[in-house]
């Protein structure tokens, strides 16, 4: 029997290794059942390398995707990447959820934790949704949101694969509803994606606040001082245009503040140890990161679609 404990106050669990066993020796079916029930599993003491993360994830996955903005590790076709460049805070989001290419599972594996800080944070989107006030819930039930961003050629080629042409991209995007796009002269793609912030969890069909609106609303403010100047205020208005309601009306600061207030009380923390592996249900949990100041930190990531 595996030793399993709660990780924070959500359904997340921590699974401990017994007698230095390899992650690859764990029974696939049992792990999958735990993943379906708990939605976030942290495997500790298995000494997982990024190569093993890939081997392990293959047991559950039919397909892999890349994050278009991350450094690739190993060969291009391994789909293993280092997490976000930089050392700033990363606000809550579900991976690739501002696009129709949301993977089922986000995998993280710790090579070297930061000497201090740099924890990965997580939030159970089902509980966030449950705890939001009724007016905010009704607002998001009645209105979808629209994400707007520019996808430059270097990054969409990384995402879709090196040999992808503009014609391939058009063919892919034309078949996806809720996507509007324009190809620019420099081959960058101006992209708009409309979706609900409330999603059904892949397992259990529960409503979850599973999206990236906090990240898109505030991302460019990373380097700003917390003291809000007039100049920053004008940026906030500008930046909020990266995500709005479907009809173009802005999401108010009050609404964003309410969401953040609920999320602040539900934050789960992964204090990394070398060789930790994390498996996150990307339809249920949001994740983010605390800032850190250690260039040695190495967290690898891998994104996949489940076989079943
Ligand atoms: Fe992420």
């Amino acid at each position: 029997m595996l030793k399993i404990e709660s990780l924070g106050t959500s359904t997340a669990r921590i699974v401990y290794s017994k007698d230095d066993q390899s992650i690859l020796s764990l029974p696939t079916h049992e792990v999958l059942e735990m993943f379906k029930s708990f939605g976030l599993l942290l495997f500790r003491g298995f000494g997982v390398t990024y190569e093993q993360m890939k081997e392990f994830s293959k047991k559950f996955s039919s397909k892999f995707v890349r994050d278009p903005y991350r450094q690739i590790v190993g060969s291009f076709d391994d789909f293993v990447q280092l997490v976000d460049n930089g050392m700033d805070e990363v606000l809550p989001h579900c991976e690739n959820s501002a696009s129709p290419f949301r993977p089922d599972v986000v995998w993280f594996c710790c090579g070297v934790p930061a000497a201090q800080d740099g924890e990965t944070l997580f939030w159970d989107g089902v509980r966030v949704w449950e705890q939001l006030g009724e007016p905010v819930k009704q607002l998001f039930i009645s209105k979808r949101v629209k994400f707007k961003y520019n996808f430059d050629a270097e990054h969409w080629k990384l995402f879709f694969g090196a040999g992808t042409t503009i014609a391939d991209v058009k063919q892919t995007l034309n078949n996806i509803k809720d996507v509007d796009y324009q190809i620019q002269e420099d081959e960058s793609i101006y992209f708009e994606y409309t979706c609900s912030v409330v999603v059904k969890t892949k397992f259990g069909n529960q409503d979850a606040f599973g999206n990236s609106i906090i990240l898109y609303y505030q991302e460019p403010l990373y380097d700003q001082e917390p003291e809000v100047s007039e100049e920053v205020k004008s940026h906030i208005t500008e930046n909020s245009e990266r995500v709005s309601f479907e009809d173009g009306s802005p999401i108010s600061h009050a609404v964003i503040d309410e969401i953040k207030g609920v999320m602040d009380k539900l934050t789960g923390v992964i204090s990394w140890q070398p060789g930790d592996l994390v498996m996150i249900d990307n339809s249920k949990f949001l994740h983010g990161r605390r800032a850190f100041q250690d260039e040695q930190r190495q967290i690898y990531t891998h994104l996949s679609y489940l076989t079943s």
Side-chain angles (χ1 to χ4, degrees):
M1 278 297 286
L2 290 162
K3 184 184 163 199
I4 299 165
E5 288 176 357
S6 291
L7 176 62
T9 57
S10 73
T11 57
R13 292 290 187 274
I14 179 162
V15 180
Y16 292 96
S17 148
K18 222 172 57 180
D19 308 325
D20 288 335
Q21 70 193 121
S22 159
I23 193 82
L24 298 171
S25 71
L26 293 181
T28 309
H29 180 73
E30 201 178 318
V31 171
L32 187 59
E33 289 308 306
M34 285 196 297
F35 180 70
K36 288 179 180 178
S37 304
F38 303 131
L40 189 151
L41 300 174
L42 164 60
F43 297 92
R44 177 154 288 166
F46 294 89
V48 181
T49 61
Y50 74 79
E51 289 94 343
Q52 286 174 331
M53 170 174 73
K54 198 192 150 205
E55 283 307 304
F56 188 62
S57 76
K58 260 193 199 166
K59 294 173 175 231
F60 307 91
S61 309
S62 58
K63 205 172 98 177
F64 303 99
V65 288
R66 293 181 192 88
D67 184 294
Y69 294 97
R70 288 177 175 155
Q71 187 185 330
I72 289 177
V73 179
S75 87
F76 187 75
D77 293 329
D78 279 352
F79 290 91
V80 176
Q81 296 176 289
L82 276 169
V83 298
D84 312 66
N85 298 324
M87 297 187 269
D88 296 324
E89 174 190 23
V90 177
L91 292 167
H93 62 283
C94 291
E95 211 60 47
N96 290 6
S97 64
S99 81
F101 308 108
R102 177 198 299 244
D104 295 328
V105 189
V106 181
W107 304 83
F108 289 121
C109 164
C110 177
V112 183
Q116 228 188 321
D117 309 321
E119 295 91 343
T120 288
L121 305 176
F122 61 90
W123 297 266
D124 181 338
V126 172
R127 292 192 61 197
V128 174
W129 182 246
E130 281 169 359
Q131 295 191 16
L132 285 172
E134 209 48 45
V136 169
K137 285 166 92 161
Q138 285 307 322
L139 182 65
F140 285 121
I141 288 168
S142 62
K143 285 183 173 189
R144 299 192 302 170
V145 298
K146 187 183 277 187
F147 292 97
K148 295 164 256 189
Y149 48 96
N150 213 51
F151 210 5
D152 64 54
E154 181 195 345
H155 291 117
W156 66 249
K157 281 178 182 163
L158 177 59
F159 182 77
F160 290 113
T164 312
T165 63
I166 284 278
D168 298 331
V169 172
K170 282 184 180 170
Q171 198 176 15
T172 303
L173 298 182
N174 288 348
N175 289 324
I176 301 173
K177 72 177 176 67
D178 302 322
V179 166
D180 282 310
Y181 69 95
Q182 285 170 5
I183 294 172
Q184 316 288 310
E185 261 176 39
D186 63 358
E187 291 201 332
S188 67
I189 304 171
Y190 172 71
F191 204 90
E192 291 188 353
Y193 178 58
T194 305
C195 60
S196 175
V197 299
V198 201
V199 296
K200 290 286 182 192
T201 57
K202 190 170 173 72
F203 305 107
N205 206 37
Q206 292 176 286
D207 287 329
F209 183 82
N211 59 74
S212 298
I213 64 169
I214 299 289
L215 180 71
Y216 272 71
Y217 198 83
Q218 295 197 327
E219 189 183 43
L221 296 177
Y222 282 176
D223 297 331
Q224 302 289 351
E225 293 295 322
E227 190 69 32
V228 179
S229 65
E230 283 310 308
E231 193 198 342
V232 173
K233 275 186 196 156
S234 70
H235 275 293
I236 292 172
T237 312
E238 214 174 277
N239 295 336
S240 67
E241 288 170 9
R242 300 176 72 219
V243 58
S244 66
F245 286 110
E246 184 176 4
D247 60 10
S249 60
I251 303 169
S252 73
H253 299 314
V255 165
I256 295 292
D257 285 347
E258 178 174 335
I259 297 166
K260 287 170 78 180
V262 166
M263 292 185 76
D264 281 349
K265 287 185 244 154
L266 297 173
T267 308
V269 180
I270 297 169
S271 299
W272 290 110
Q273 293 185 11
D276 279 351
L277 175 73
V278 172
M279 184 178 183
I280 301 175
D281 179 343
N282 196 38
S283 71
K284 182 178 187 208
F285 278 87
L286 303 97
H287 64 276
R289 174 183 84 189
R290 282 189 182 140
F292 60 98
Q293 303 229 319
D294 180 355
E295 288 182 1
Q296 301 304 311
R297 181 187 190 263
Q298 282 198 319
I299 307 289
Y300 301 97
T301 184
H302 194 50
L303 307 172
S304 75
Y305 290 94
L306 290 172
T307 311
S308 51

